[in-house]
Every structure is written in C-alpha cells, then in structure tokens.
C-alpha cells in the first residue's frame, strides 16, 4: 500500500488553532468570481424553473415503480478512461420489497448506456453446520432505457420481504461539469504539475449522472455501500468511508482501490476522487470515542495541509458541542482535496479552498472580519455531516433543512471560539446575501428546490427563533435532539417544525410560514406615546397570526404577540427604546417608527 501513497501520520492532539487571515494575490479574481457565484447559484439545481415535465416527475416522485421497494446496499465498481472521458461500470443493487411489485424504475442519465442487467449468484443450504451449494443462477432481466430512466422487468412478482439482487453493467461518456460544483458531472482536470486530477460533483444533477441507482433522497442504502475505483497505478483513488483494500489488476498497469461505507448515505454523496494523493492520518478523542481522521491531499500540498487542517479538530469539537457526536464514527472523517471548491460528500468532504481562510479569501459576512478567522469549506461543508448527511430531506423542495442549519453552523462555530457578540455580527452580516426572490421551500415531487435564500435567510431564521426561545441550554438540546431523533433518517419540513415547536415549548408555526413560505420581511412598528412613558408595538407585512416573541430589558422581559393584528403597549424608557430600535440585529425583522 505504501508504494504509491505518501503516508503522513500526525499525532499532535493538542494542535493550536490556525486562526489568521490569508490573502493570496493570485486568487483575487478567482475569489471574486466564486463569491459572486455563491450568491447567484449556490447549488446545481438553483434556477427559476416553474414549468415541469414528465421527466421531472419521474425523477422527483415516488411513483408505482419506485415506492414498492427499498434500497439496502450499493456495490459500485467504476473504471474511468481519463484520456477519452468515458467510464465503464458495474453496480450491484441489493433491495427489499416493501409491497408487491415487478417493474422497477432505476435512474441513469444519458448518454450513459445500460448493457445488461443480470441476477447471478450462488444459493446455499446448511446441513449439520456445513454450507452446501444448492444452486447457481444467472438470469437476464429485460429492461427499457428511455430518457434518464431504466425500467427493469423482474422475472417474477415480488412480495413484501423478498430480497432483490442484480448487477447492472453500463458504459458511456458521462456529463462533464464545466463549472463544478455549481453544475454537475465528472471533472476531468489536471493538477498544477499536469497530472490527472479527477472527481465527480452531482448534488442537484443527481448520482444517476454517473451510476444507475434509485435517485431520490428519500431512499438511502440502509446497509451502506462500497466503491471500487480502478485507475492507473501512478494515481491514487479515494472514496467514502474506510479504505478496505488496494489490489493490482493482473497483467495491467492498473490498481483497484476499494472503499467501504457502513452507514446509510445519500447517493449524491458517493464520490470517487483520483489524483496523486498523499494521506495525513490523525485521530480525535470525541464524544463517541476515537474518531479516525485522514486528509487526502495532492502530494505537493502536504505542508500546507498540515497547517490549514489543524482547524478540523476545532470544527469537530465545536460541532460535537452544539449538535452531538459526529454521526459516522464507523466510517471516519476525511477531507479530500478536490478539483473544485467543495462539497459535503459524507465521510469524504471535498476541499478546494486553496488552503486559505474565509471563502477563497473573502468574508461571506461582509466587513465583520469574522468570516476570515476560519476556513469556510472546512466549517460549512463539514457541518453538513449533521444536517444533510445525518438528517436528510426526503424531497429537495425541503433542502433548507440541509442548508439553513449548516449555514447556521458557521454562526455557532464563530460563537464557540469568539463569543456571542461575534456570532451576532457574523449572522447579521450574512443578510447582505439574501434576495427574497422566491420562497425557500420549493415544489414537491418534481426535484425542484426553492430559493438560494435557504442558506443565509434560513440561518437568520434559526438565529431569530433562538433569540425568541431565549434559553441557550434549551436551544442546544433542540439541535442535539434533532440529530438524535432523526439519526440516519430522512425527514420532511413538517417533522422538523413539529420537533422544534414541541421542544421549544412555543408554537413557531407562523414564524416558519413567514420565513420559509413567503418572501416578506416582518416589520415591527413602534410608536412612543404618553410623553415617552409607553410604547406601542405591532407587526405588519407578515402572515396572518405571526406571533414572534421578542425579549427586552437585557432579555428579562418577554413581549408576546398573539397575532400580528394585535398591538402591545409596554412601559418604556430610553434604554428600552434603544433596544427596540436595534432588535433587527438579533431578529430577522425590520424595525420602523410608526407614522
């Protein structure tokens, strides 16, 4: 194993944080370009499409050919042909029938072509403790490939509880990503020394852009996955989970790297990385014991990685404090240098932030400066391990569950190391990115998410709810409780809303409706009366029944609103009036003096 990989063992468990601002002149233009892209197209799906086709429904709906079976496991073998940008592959799908059915819809995006679908294997019986071969099968399944789906006709009707296993052989030239990760596909790049640097980014576009699968977020393989990547023996292949084996292919100059994931995983998170990698190994004593850490970086970037990736332990400690244990101890935690900016690939986070703090050297919170204290990709993309990977939205219309909480993890990281005032400033600074163009929740059943405001507006919504709860112990328990109750599960918006409402002890439903389902910013109007002794408060520009409570007198006086049509009259003084005027720094509202 050591002949092709530079292994670096790093055992310093008392790393000092690398918290310094790094400005690299050579990436200023690139930083500006990517910074603009983040504001305009934060994910591959973010567009204004509102007219949907039958193909959109086939991808986004659990129809009669999808909803009767559940994926148990994917075993993927892929051989990329770097010179021609083609791939050949075999996928073993293990599934179980949850009701009666015979026809299965798989997803595979053209121009990839299915060659054959075969059920094969040996069935055994056990007699006197000895396993004896009973029979061997090799059945061809009929299939029709049309558009981006493959309809597989099984040879017999399946009943609830039946196991279904078959191999899919396929090949072709997959879609190539031109501006990864904002558009999806294979990335056929080269590193600075001219060696191949290859990967995949398909969130939004879908995993079916490179391997046949049930391409719907609601169905993760319960028993995990393996990924075998066959590459020239001058290169190294990295995948999700733990490295299981490295094998030389007989009579060739190829090697196969096998990676194994034990936990459920989003199909779009299963990703190969190929390049001239070195690995840095480390461990963290975390909340569930020893967590294996590894950083796979281009071999000429080891020294940079040793310094910049000191922030990983800082991130993990902060997030285990806020969210609970890292959700994938069995699979370990990895950062993998990638030929694009970054992506939340489970247990193999894609990293391409040029070993700089901030977002390619810029501060997404504007001029607050807090966003330059830490590496945006390490913090944000790793935050998805809890929200997005551990807790996954059933439908991409609810993608805010991934992005709002993960964007808020940036605020929580800032608070953990720099305090509440810094966190408030960072969160408020994110508002410059909010557009309020369309609602955050998208269209269900057609593979369409809502506004990119799910990031920064979603984060500000959570910060608003946190201040309305006014109890950080309770708020932290809610975050940890979400990750415990929905551990390795898929959810919808209603489940998240209900959990927060119940455990906060307050019904925030109208607050969720306001921020997730409209584009209006609530306005808190105030009017001073009785010679400055009293003040009248009332919400406008909001949904009927909007009842966001606010806290005054240094968070000791709660002001309740039964609904937005009612006004509240309270005693006031100069200090309280100043607090009211500055409430928009803590709550995502506008504060205006009533005319």
């Amino acid at each position: 194993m050591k002949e092709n990989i530079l292994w670096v063992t790093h055992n310093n468990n008392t790393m000092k944080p690398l918290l310094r601002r790094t400005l690299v002149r050579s990436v200023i233009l690139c930083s500006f370009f990517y910074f603009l892209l983040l504001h305009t197209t934060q994910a591959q799906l973010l567009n204004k499409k509102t007219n949907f086709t039958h193909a959109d429904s086939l991808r986004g709906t659990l129809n009669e050919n999808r909803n009767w079976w559940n994926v148990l496991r994917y075993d993927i073998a892929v051989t990329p042909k770097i010179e021609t940008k083609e791939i050949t592959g075999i996928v073993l799908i293990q599934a179980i029938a949850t009701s009666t059915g015979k026809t299965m819809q798989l997803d595979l995006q053209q121009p990839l072509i299915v060659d054959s679908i075969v059920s094969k294997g040996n069935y055994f019986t056990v007699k006197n403790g000895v396993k004896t071969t009973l029979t061997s099968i090799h059945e061809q399944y009929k299939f029709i490939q049309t558009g981006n789906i493959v309809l597989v006709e099984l040879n017999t009707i399946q009943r609830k509880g039946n196991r279904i296993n078959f191999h899919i052989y396929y090949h072709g030239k997959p879609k190539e990503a031109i501006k990864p990760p904002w558009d999806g596909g294979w990335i056929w790049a080269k590193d600075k020394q001219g060696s191949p640097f290859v990967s995949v980014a398909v969130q939004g576009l879908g995993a079916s852009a490179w391997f046949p699968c049930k391409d719907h977020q609601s169905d993760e393989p319960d028993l995990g996955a393996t990924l075998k990547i066959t590459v020239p023996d001058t290169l190294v292949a990295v995948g999700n989970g733990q490295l299981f084996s490295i094998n030389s292919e007989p009579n060739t100059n190829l090697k196969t790297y096998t990676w194994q994931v034990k936990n459920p995983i989003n199909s779009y998170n299963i990703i190969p990385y190929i390049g001239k990698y070195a690995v840095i190994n480390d461990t963290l004593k975390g909340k569930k014991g020893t967590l294996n850490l590894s950083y796979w970086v281009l071999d000429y970037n080891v020294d940079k990685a040793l310094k910049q990736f000191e922030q990983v332990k800082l991130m993990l400690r902060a997030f285990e404090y806020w969210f609970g244990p890292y959700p994938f101890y069995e699979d370990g935690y990895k950062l993998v240098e990638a030929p694009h900016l970054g992506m939340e690939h489970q247990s193999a986070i894609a990293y391409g932030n040029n070993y700089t703090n901030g977002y390619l050297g810029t501060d997404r919170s504007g001029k607050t400066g807090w966003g330059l204290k830490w590496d945006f990709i390490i913090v944000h993309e790793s935050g998805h391990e809890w929200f997005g990977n551990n807790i996954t939205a059933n439908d991409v219309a609810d993608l805010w569950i991934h992005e709002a909480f993960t964007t808020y993890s940036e605020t929580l990281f800032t608070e953990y190391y720099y305090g509440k005032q810094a966190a408030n400033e960072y969160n408020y600074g994110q508002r410059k990115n909010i557009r309020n163009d369309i609602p955050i929740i998208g269209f269900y059943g057609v593979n369409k998410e809502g506004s990119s405001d799910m990031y920064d507006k979603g984060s500000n919504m959570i910060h608003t709810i946190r201040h309305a709860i006014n109890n950080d112990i309770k708020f932290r328990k809610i975050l940890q409780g979400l990750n415990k109750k929905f551990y390795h599960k898929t959810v919808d918006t209603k489940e998240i809303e209900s959990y927060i409402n119940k455990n906060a002890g307050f019904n925030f439903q109208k607050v969720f409706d306001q921020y997730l389902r409209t584009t209006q910013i609530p306005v808190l109007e105030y009017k001073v009366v009785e010679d400055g002794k009293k003040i009248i408060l009332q919400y406008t520009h909001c949904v009927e029944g909007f009842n966001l409570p606010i806290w005054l007198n240094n968070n000791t006086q709660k002001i309740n609103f039964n609904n937005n049509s009612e006004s509240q009259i309270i005693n006031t003084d100069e200090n309280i009036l100043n607090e009211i005027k500055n409430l928009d720094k803590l709550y995502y509202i506008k504060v205006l003096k009533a005319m």
Side-chain angles (χ1 to χ4, degrees):
M1 291 172 61
K2 295 184 179 179
E3 59 182 319
N4 285 357
I5 308 173
L6 173 60
W7 299 85
V8 181
T9 302
H10 195 71
N11 291 318
N12 181 8
N13 291 322
T14 58
M15 297 179 182
K16 294 182 179 179
L18 176 66
L19 299 170
R20 59 185 178 86
R21 179 174 178 171
T22 305
L23 296 176
V24 183
R25 292 182 180 272
S26 63
V27 299
I28 289 177
L29 291 177
C30 182
S31 300
F32 179 71
F33 174 70
Y34 277 115
F35 188 68
L36 288 178
L37 279 173
L38 185 67
H39 298 304
T40 57
T41 59
Q42 295 199 33
Q44 291 162 20
L45 282 177
L46 297 174
N47 55 65
K48 301 292 185 180
K49 182 176 181 180
T50 55
N51 296 318
F52 302 105
T53 66
H54 181 55
D56 294 322
S57 295
L58 286 172
R59 170 73 187 281
T61 303
L62 290 177
N63 55 47
E64 68 276 9
N65 295 322
R66 278 175 147 186
N67 62 13
W68 66 266
W69 59 281
N70 177 59
V71 177
L72 294 177
R73 184 178 178 85
Y74 292 117
D75 292 286
I76 306 162
V78 64
T79 302
K81 301 176 182 178
I82 296 173
E83 298 78 11
T84 60
K85 300 181 179 180
E86 296 175 290
I87 63 173
T88 59
I90 307 169
V91 177
L92 169 60
I93 294 181
Q94 300 181 44
I96 189 169
T98 55
S99 60
T100 301
K102 188 178 180 184
T103 303
M104 303 175 72
Q105 176 189 317
L106 301 178
D107 303 280
L108 185 67
Q109 297 180 33
Q110 293 186 1
L112 294 174
I113 299 169
V114 173
D115 299 310
S116 63
I117 301 178
V118 180
S119 178
K120 60 181 181 178
N122 295 315
Y123 286 78
F124 299 95
T125 185
V126 177
K127 185 175 181 180
N128 297 325
V130 178
K131 184 182 289 186
T132 305
T133 300
L134 176 64
T135 186
S136 179
I137 66 166
H138 194 287
E139 297 179 339
Q140 293 274 349
Y141 287 158
K142 294 180 181 179
F143 66 90
I144 298 174
Q145 184 171 5
T146 176
N148 291 330
I149 70 166
V150 181
L151 292 177
V152 183
E153 191 74 13
L154 303 181
N155 292 342
T156 58
I157 294 176
Q158 302 297 311
R159 309 292 180 186
K160 183 177 180 179
N162 286 6
R163 296 288 289 264
I164 309 160
N165 302 329
F166 53 83
H167 293 77
I168 306 172
Y169 295 78
Y170 69 105
H171 77 281
K173 192 171 186 176
K175 182 180 184 297
E176 181 176 358
I178 306 303
K179 298 189 298 293
W182 294 280
D183 70 336
W186 275 75
I187 306 159
W188 307 95
K190 291 187 180 297
D191 65 21
K192 292 180 181 179
Q193 296 181 353
S195 298
F197 192 20
V198 177
S199 190
V200 174
V202 288
Q203 185 193 18
L205 178 63
S208 56
W210 78 275
F211 73 93
C213 60
K214 186 177 181 180
D215 204 356
H216 195 274
Q217 286 187 179
S218 67
D219 196 352
E220 298 179 349
D222 301 323
L223 304 179
T226 60
L227 177 57
K228 294 183 177 181
I229 314 162
T230 300
V231 295
D233 58 12
T234 56
L235 301 174
V236 174
V238 183
N240 310 80
Q242 303 281 9
L243 182 59
F244 184 76
S245 65
I246 305 174
N247 295 308
S248 297
E249 299 299 320
N251 304 315
T252 71
N253 63 344
L254 302 176
K255 281 193 172 182
T256 298
Y257 292 77
T258 301
W259 293 82
Q260 179 172 277
V261 175
K262 294 183 178 180
N263 292 293
I265 183 171
N266 302 334
S267 58
Y268 71 77
N269 272 331
I270 304 173
I271 295 296
Y273 301 87
I274 301 165
K276 288 200 169 183
Y277 283 109
V279 61
I280 303 166
N281 289 313
D282 203 352
T283 59
L284 173 78
K285 296 297 183 182
K287 288 188 175 294
K288 286 180 68 174
T290 299
L291 175 62
N292 290 324
L293 312 176
S294 61
Y295 314 130
W296 294 78
V297 301
L298 296 177
D299 54 13
Y300 53 79
N301 282 331
V302 169
D303 289 342
K304 291 181 181 178
L306 282 170
K307 292 181 67 67
Q308 190 72 2
F309 292 176
E310 289 180 357
Q311 296 185 43
V312 168
K313 289 186 176 182
L314 300 176
M315 173 275 299
L316 287 168
R317 290 189 181 107
F319 288 170
E320 287 207 327
Y321 170 83
W322 286 111
F323 303 142
Y326 176 72
F328 309 107
Y329 267 70
E330 302 87 348
D331 294 325
Y333 172 91
K334 285 196 299 299
L335 279 182
V336 187
E337 188 166 0
H340 61 83
L341 180 61
M343 191 64 73
E344 66 265 25
H345 302 144
Q346 184 175 312
S347 68
I349 302 297
Y351 179 85
N353 203 33
N354 292 339
Y355 301 97
T356 62
N357 280 354
Y359 179 94
L360 286 171
T362 62
D363 185 352
R364 288 200 68 257
S365 67
K367 297 180 181 180
T368 73
W370 297 115
L372 293 174
K373 299 288 187 179
W374 39 268
D375 191 310
F376 174 86
I377 293 299
I378 292 176
V379 171
H380 179 92
E381 301 303 346
S382 298
H384 276 301
E385 294 282 45
W386 285 263
F387 292 96
N389 299 345
N390 184 37
I391 304 173
T392 303
N394 281 312
D395 193 300
V396 296
D398 288 334
L399 205 60
W400 76 271
I401 297 169
H402 299 204
E403 301 302 348
F405 283 98
T406 299
T407 303
Y408 193 62
S409 74
E410 302 163 27
T411 295
L412 294 175
F413 177 89
T414 301
E415 178 174 331
Y416 189 84
Y417 289 104
Y418 302 103
K420 280 192 174 182
Q421 182 61 31
N424 289 335
E425 291 173 5
Y426 180 84
N427 192 266
Y428 182 79
Q430 290 177 319
R431 293 187 194 173
K432 69 182 183 59
N433 307 321
I434 299 173
R435 297 185 293 181
N436 281 311
D437 51 353
I438 59 175
I440 286 175
I441 293 179
F443 295 87
Y444 291 97
V446 289
N447 198 47
K448 180 66 178 73
E449 80 306 324
S451 171
S452 62
D453 284 347
M454 69 179 77
Y455 292 79
D456 299 294
K457 182 179 178 181
S459 173
N460 271 268
M461 177 189 73
I462 296 170
H463 201 55
T464 295
I465 290 173
R466 176 187 178 182
H467 281 288
I469 293 172
N470 194 33
N471 184 328
D472 281 351
I473 294 175
K474 179 183 288 188
F475 179 72
R476 182 177 161 217
K477 285 182 178 179
I478 289 173
L479 295 176
Q480 293 177 353
L482 286 167
N483 276 280
K484 185 175 181 180
K485 179 175 177 60
F486 302 113
Y487 182 75
H488 292 177
K489 292 182 179 178
T490 62
V491 300
D492 57 34
T493 289
K494 288 297 183 183
E495 290 178 281
I496 299 299
E497 290 174 333
S498 296
Y499 184 88
I500 293 174
N501 290 339
K502 178 180 178 181
N503 288 276
F506 183 87
N507 188 355
F508 285 104
Q509 191 55 57
K510 293 299 181 178
V511 177
F512 286 119
D513 289 344
Q514 180 74 40
Y515 294 110
L516 297 178
R517 299 174 176 91
T518 81
T519 60
Q520 292 178 299
I521 304 174
V523 174
L524 180 65
E525 294 187 352
Y526 69 91
K527 185 176 183 180
V528 180
V529 295
E530 295 186 15
D531 296 326
K533 295 180 181 179
K534 294 186 181 295
I535 193 166
I536 301 174
L537 300 171
Q538 183 176 7
Y539 282 119
T540 61
H541 295 83
C542 49
V543 299
E544 183 64 33
F546 184 75
N547 60 344
L548 176 71
I550 58 174
W551 289 81
L552 298 172
N553 265 337
N554 294 316
N555 293 329
T556 62
Q557 181 181 358
K558 185 179 183 181
I559 311 300
N560 286 305
F561 297 84
N562 293 326
N563 63 68
N564 59 293
S565 63
E566 293 186 2
S567 60
Q568 297 294 317
I569 302 176
I570 62 171
N571 296 324
T572 189
D573 56 32
E574 185 176 347
N575 291 331
I576 290 180
L577 183 59
N578 285 333
E579 278 192 73
I580 291 171
K581 291 179 179 179
N582 287 284
L583 283 173
D584 63 332
K585 300 297 190 299
L586 305 178
Y587 304 82
Y588 184 41
I589 59 177
K590 292 181 179 179
V591 180
L592 294 178
K593 185 176 183 180
M595 300 300 293

